[in-house]
Amino acid sequence: MIYQKHEVLSDFSKKFVLQNLELEMDCLPIRCNAVHLCHPNFVFGEIIAPVLKFILGKRFRLMFQVHRGLLQEVVAQLESFGIHKNIVPYDFGGNQRLDVVSWLEKRRTLDL
């Protein structure tokens, strides 16, 4: 997850980003083949992401995708990567309605 609310350009360095990526890839209980960032703010989407993709090399460049535009355009872009509209969250233009509160309650009742 990329939280962009208080980011500043001076927070980014190649070493910092690479360490965080390696940490996240090693700690996730799943294999991550791609990262799709939808509707980023202008600074990250137009300036920082292209620079990161250039600096971090071919592997990261191939796995990191930034999607901008209208909701329908972003959903069409995601579908070109095999991510169907039925699994895309409603807020991003898909059909999947997320109810985090009921999901957490269900998990608590199952002691998970």
Side-chain angles (χ1 to χ4, degrees), residues 10-22 56:
S10 62
D11 290 341
F12 291 92
S13 71
K14 182 177 180 178
K15 182 178 178 182
F16 173 75
V17 173
L18 280 173
Q19 286 175 338
N20 280 325
L21 283 174
E22 289 175 10
L56 296 178

Side-chain angles (χ1 to χ4, degrees), residues 43-85:
V43 172
F44 192 85
E46 296 291 330
I47 299 169
I48 296 174
V51 171
L52 284 176
K53 288 174 83 169
F54 177 75
I55 291 173
L56 296 178
K58 184 177 181 179
R59 178 175 176 244
F60 181 74
R61 188 169 40 252
L62 293 174
M63 70 180 283
F64 186 75
Q65 301 296 324
V66 178
H67 304 287
R68 294 179 292 280
L70 300 173
L71 290 177
Q72 298 87 355
E73 294 170 346
V74 170
V75 170
Q77 292 171 15
L78 291 171
E79 285 182 340
S80 73
F81 287 94
I83 303 171
H84 195 268
K85 186 176 182 173

